[in-house]
């Protein structure tokens, strides 16, 4: 596979475009220290801009923390011990339209979208007159930018819109996100598309990116950059939400084939070593470039799940069998001052940084092989292909060493779905899917866990299928066209 050398590191903040959520929609003034308009005129400059876009993506305001973890915080699989106030309003479902975490997710998601759009436009303008070698590089950059844009748009659509499909019922005509195909001039009036249009936007980007990667026949072969396996993985995820089961299954299969990952870690030691930091997770297709030099320190997910008091919930822990290798990263070390294990010193889970000493150095593994097998399993179950669903499910379910063959798995569609409701919780903890899974499945759940180590809740036996988070008030109040989600506050579970 052909590779190229990178001119700059992901973590250089000076390369990032600047936007503002409070003054106007998508204010972007600089790339690499020069004005953005007309600046992206060579592959080298585009590469600087692309690296800046990766940096914005992995900021703790977006994928490096807030947009990754919100789906687990607002669910039944995380526990807040109330030592600090981080994410507490989302955890308790008492959030407002001024919530800081939601505001930053919106702002930084659109930084990624706008910056990616500028790169895409520049690549398309340069490719026709470029040399053959430069054409290949520009197509690579366009493919990465389109995958980045789709990644951010899918996050924003999940967080700020109604679930597109809820157990067979479409909500695609409800308000979606602002669709940015071309860079939006400052002070422009904008409008939200529908949710269906938002998904068309996401999937069109991913299909174009896949075609570009396949046309040039290579990517960077580096999990810190978007590549073909990551693009297929996102396409599988998007089509899962759309309940396009054939498309989802095929895309997941392609992601697995491209990555070459057909088995996972099954021993406690091997599983724990996936989370040694950096690129240690060999099951991942796309990993943020966070490490001891480029960590978010107090704002990291490693800190959130240790010092700042979040952990796995007692309910989640009750779902694991005693021989499950994933228990190797779920443990507590009580102190003399606080013998209750849920009050102090959670190991950090997937953010424990077990290869080092400081959990704040842990990174996020954003698109991973286990998710693909679970998407396949769900898709085949929905298509009533029980044997295929069992085979895909077994790859992940064998993390529980008591499960060794399909004979240990349910043998009906309903049984497989019931198993998946729990298996996705077990496997995808700290990857941010749980709340959105609960919404799309339309199943009863409990929220706002309390009184650990008992399994107890403040919000009991509710459905969250209609829950929608508010668009940040700061954006709506600019009066540049972004409208609020009607009745969002009444959808909060109680």
């Amino acid at each position: 596979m052909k590779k190229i050398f990178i001119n700059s590191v992901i973590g250089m903040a000076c390369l990032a475009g600047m936007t503002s959520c409070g003054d106007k929609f998508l204010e972007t003034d600089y790339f690499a220290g020069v004005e953005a308009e007309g600046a992206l005129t060579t592959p080298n400059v585009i590469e600087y801009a692309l690296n800046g876009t990766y940096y914005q993506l992995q900021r703790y305001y977006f994928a490096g923390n807030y947009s990754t973890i919100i789906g687990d915080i607002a669910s039944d699989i995380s526990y807040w011990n109330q030592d600090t106030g981080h994410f507490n309003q989302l955890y308790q479902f008492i959030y407002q339209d001024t919530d800081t975490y939601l505001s930053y997710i919106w702002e930084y998601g659109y930084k990624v979208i706008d910056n990616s759009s500028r790169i895409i436009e520049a690549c398309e303008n340069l490719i026709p007159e470029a040399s053959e070698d430069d054409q290949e590089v520009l197509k690579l950059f366009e493919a990465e930018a389109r995958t980045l844009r789709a990644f951010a748009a899918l996050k924003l659509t999940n967080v700020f819109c109604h679930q597109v499909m809820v157990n067979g019922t479409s909500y695609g005509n409800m308000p979606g996100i602002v669709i940015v195909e071309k860079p939006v001039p400052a002070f422009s009036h904008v409008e939200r598309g529908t949710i269906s249009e938002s998904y068309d936007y996401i999937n069109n980007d991913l299909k174009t990116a896949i075609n570009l990667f396949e046309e040039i026949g290579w990517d960077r072969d580096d999990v810190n950059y978007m590549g073909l396996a990551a693009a297929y993985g996102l396409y599988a995820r998007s089509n899962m939400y759309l309940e396009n089961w054939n498309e989802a299954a095929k895309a997941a299969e392609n992601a697995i084939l491209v990555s070459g990952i057909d088995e996972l870690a099954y021993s406690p030691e091997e599983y724990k070593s996936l989370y040694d930091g950096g690129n240690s997770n060999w099951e991942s297709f796309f990993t943020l470039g966070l490490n001891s030099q480029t960590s978010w320190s107090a704002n990291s997910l490693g800190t959130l799940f240790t010092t700042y008091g979040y952990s796995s919930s007692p309910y989640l822990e009750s779902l694991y069998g005693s021989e499950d290798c994933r228990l190797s990263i779920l443990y507590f070390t009580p102190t003399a001052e606080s013998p209750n294990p849920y009050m102090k010193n959670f190991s950090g889970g997937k953010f424990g940084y077990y290869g080092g000493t400081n959990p704040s150095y842990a990174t996020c593994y954003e698109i991973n092989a286990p998710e693909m097998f679970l998407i396949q399993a769900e898709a085949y179950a929905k298509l009533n292909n029980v044997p295929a669903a069992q085979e895909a499910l077994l790859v992940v379910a064998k993390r529980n060493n008591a499960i060794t063959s399909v004979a240990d798995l349910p043998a009906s569609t309903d049984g497989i779905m019931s198993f998946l409701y729990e298996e996705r919780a077990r496997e995808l903890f700290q990857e941010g899917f749980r709340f959105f899974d609960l919404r799309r499945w339309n199943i009863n759940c409990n929220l706002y866990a309390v009184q650990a180590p008992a399994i107890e809740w403040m919000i009991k036996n509710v459905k969250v299928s209609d829950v929608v988070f508010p668009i940040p008030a700061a954006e709506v109040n600019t009066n540049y066209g972004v409208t609020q989600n009607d009745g969002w506050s009444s959808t909060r579970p109680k």
Side-chain angles (χ1 to χ4, degrees):
M1 183 173 288
K2 186 174 179 181
K3 298 182 182 179
I4 62 174
F5 294 98
I6 309 305
N7 291 329
S8 58
V9 298
I10 293 177
M12 294 179 65
C14 62
L15 305 185
M18 304 298 172
T19 73
S20 172
C21 183
D23 301 320
K24 49 195 174 184
F25 185 79
L26 296 181
E27 175 187 357
T28 300
D29 298 325
Y30 294 100
F31 282 99
V34 294
E35 292 189 10
E37 298 300 328
L40 303 181
T41 55
T42 69
N44 282 346
V45 175
I46 290 173
E47 186 178 359
Y48 286 128
L50 184 59
N51 285 336
T53 306
Y54 278 105
Y55 174 76
Q56 300 289 36
L57 181 91
Q58 74 177 28
R59 293 287 296 274
Y60 63 87
Y61 299 121
F62 199 60
N65 187 331
Y66 300 171
S67 77
T68 291
I69 209 61
I70 183 174
D72 278 6
I73 295 298
S75 81
D76 55 359
I77 62 174
S78 293
Y79 187 83
W80 172 53
N81 71 22
Q82 303 184 40
D83 274 4
T84 66
H86 295 269
F87 279 101
N88 62 306
Q89 291 188 334
L90 286 158
Y91 180 80
Q92 298 176 83
F93 288 90
I94 57 172
Y95 47 80
Q96 301 294 326
D97 57 1
T98 53
D99 184 88
T100 300
Y101 299 102
L102 292 173
S103 295
Y104 276 126
I105 292 170
W106 176 271
E107 179 179 357
Y108 275 77
Y110 274 109
K111 285 178 185 287
V112 175
I113 288 174
D114 186 66
N115 291 352
S116 298
S117 298
R118 294 173 185 274
I119 293 165
I120 292 164
E121 182 179 61
C123 290
E124 290 179 333
N125 289 339
L126 291 175
I127 284 172
E129 303 300 324
S131 68
E132 185 175 340
D133 285 345
D134 280 354
Q135 283 184 350
E136 279 205 13
V137 171
L138 289 167
K139 288 176 181 178
L140 172 73
F141 292 163
E142 181 183 344
E144 290 187 20
R146 286 186 179 276
T147 311
L148 285 167
R149 188 166 73 176
F151 180 98
L154 185 56
K155 290 272 191 180
L156 292 177
T157 303
N158 256 359
V159 172
F160 293 106
C161 308
H162 195 286
Q163 202 73 36
V164 61
M165 296 292 295
V166 177
N167 196 26
T169 300
S170 174
Y171 293 84
N173 288 330
M174 292 185 68
I177 61 172
V178 178
I179 295 170
V180 180
E181 292 283 4
K182 299 291 184 181
V184 177
F187 306 109
S188 296
H189 180 86
V190 296
E191 294 181 357
R192 297 172 66 182
T194 66
I195 299 175
S196 289
E197 289 168 341
S198 302
Y199 271 91
D200 287 343
Y201 170 60
I202 292 161
N203 281 346
N204 286 338
D205 262 347
L206 291 170
K207 287 187 285 188
T208 301
I210 288 167
N211 289 338
L212 287 167
F213 282 128
E214 292 184 337
E215 179 184 343
I216 63 176
W218 57 283
D219 57 28
R220 301 193 200 221
D221 195 23
D222 185 333
V223 295
N224 294 137
Y225 296 89
M226 292 294 190
L228 182 57
Y232 270 126
L234 280 177
Y235 191 59
R237 185 185 296 174
S238 175
N239 279 284
M240 176 195 71
Y241 287 126
L242 287 166
E243 297 186 6
N244 292 336
W245 300 118
N246 282 305
E247 285 286 309
K250 183 61 177 177
E253 178 186 0
N254 286 334
I256 292 164
L257 288 172
V258 169
S259 70
I261 301 170
D262 56 7
E263 285 287 309
L264 306 177
Y266 297 114
S267 72
E269 297 76 19
E270 189 179 23
Y271 182 78
K272 190 174 183 180
S273 72
L274 294 175
Y275 303 101
D276 282 347
N279 296 344
S280 60
N281 189 340
W282 51 264
E283 299 177 355
S284 185
F285 306 156
F286 176 64
T287 302
L288 302 188
L290 301 175
N291 53 44
S292 59
Q293 285 74 48
T294 60
S295 74
W296 299 129
S297 189
N299 295 302
S300 70
L301 280 168
T303 303
L304 184 69
F305 278 90
T306 52
T307 306
Y308 291 162
Y310 275 92
S311 67
S312 51
S313 72
Y315 166 69
L316 173 63
E317 291 159 26
S318 75
L319 300 182
Y320 293 98
S322 61
E323 297 181 52
D324 199 308
C325 71
R326 291 168 292 203
L327 290 173
S328 64
I329 63 170
L330 302 183
Y331 60 88
F332 300 79
T333 53
T335 64
E337 294 78 17
S338 180
N340 183 339
Y342 289 88
M343 295 304 290
K344 292 290 182 182
N345 298 338
F346 179 61
S347 66
K350 291 177 179 176
F351 305 113
Y353 193 70
Y354 303 107
T357 58
N358 191 334
S360 70
Y361 299 162
T363 191
C364 304
Y365 304 103
E366 291 285 341
I367 310 170
N368 308 311
E371 180 197 354
M372 299 301 108
F373 291 107
L374 293 175
I375 289 174
Q376 282 188 309
E378 184 170 355
Y380 289 134
K382 292 292 187 177
L383 294 168
N384 293 314
N385 187 344
V386 171
Q390 288 176 312
E391 289 292 340
L393 183 55
L394 181 64
V395 178
V396 180
K398 287 192 299 184
R399 302 266 211 207
N400 179 354
N401 295 163
I403 295 174
T404 60
S405 72
V406 294
D408 299 316
L409 298 174
S412 68
T413 294
D414 288 345
I416 288 171
M417 287 305 303
S418 293
F419 190 95
L420 271 167
Y421 294 155
E422 297 183 351
E423 187 62 19
R424 281 184 64 92
R426 285 186 286 261
E427 177 58 38
L428 302 178
F429 172 56
Q430 296 182 306
E431 295 182 29
F433 296 103
R434 184 61 172 178
F435 172 74
F436 309 111
D437 282 346
L438 293 171
R439 279 203 314 193
R440 67 188 180 89
W441 289 329
N442 197 30
I443 58 177
N444 287 6
C445 62
N446 302 303
L447 303 165
Y448 186 3
V450 293
Q451 298 180 19
I455 299 176
E456 186 55 68
W457 316 90
M458 291 296 291
I459 302 173
K460 300 179 181 180
N461 199 32
V462 296
K463 290 183 177 180
V464 295
S465 53
D466 287 325
V467 174
V468 59
F469 295 119
I471 304 294
E475 182 62 76
V476 174
N477 292 339
T478 64
N479 294 317
Y480 280 97
V482 178
T483 55
Q484 185 56 272
N485 290 319
D486 290 339
W488 63 266
S489 61
S490 67
T491 71
R492 288 178 298 193
K494 301 176 177 63

